[in-house]
């Protein structure tokens, strides 16, 4: 979901990581936040704001339960160790 942008150019994993770091550096109280974030990752302010809005939508869907938890596959070794699933391997 959060991989598209206004320009139609997708976001790379490297850009997403830089975006996350920039959001931490330029918090909500930073003047010209979107200009600073955009400049730090090589995107336009409009692209980073749109990417942020999509991220917020994704978070809201996850927190409201609209996105199911993934079904992790456990191996015999991880199950025996009590790991590999959210329920302690039960």
């Amino acid at each position: 979901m959060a991989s598209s942008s206004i320009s139609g150019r997708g976001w790379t994993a490297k850009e997403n990581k830089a975006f996350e770091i920039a959001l931490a550096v330029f918090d909500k109280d930073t003047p010209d936040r979107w200009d600073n974030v955009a400049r730090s990752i090589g995107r336009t302010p409009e692209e980073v704001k749109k990417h942020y809005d999509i991220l917020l939508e994704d978070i809201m869907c996850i927190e409201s339960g609209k996105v199911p938890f993934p079904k992790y596959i456990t191996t015999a070794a991880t199950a025996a160790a009590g790991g590999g699933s959210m329920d302690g391997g039960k």
Side-chain angles (χ1 to χ4, degrees), residues 52-74:
Y52 182 76
D53 290 342
I54 293 169
L55 174 63
L56 290 181
E57 289 176 26
D58 287 351
I59 292 169
M60 287 177 20
C61 286
I62 292 165
E63 290 180 346
S64 69
K66 293 179 183 173
V67 177
F69 285 108
K71 302 288 184 192
Y72 294 106
I73 299 172
T74 59

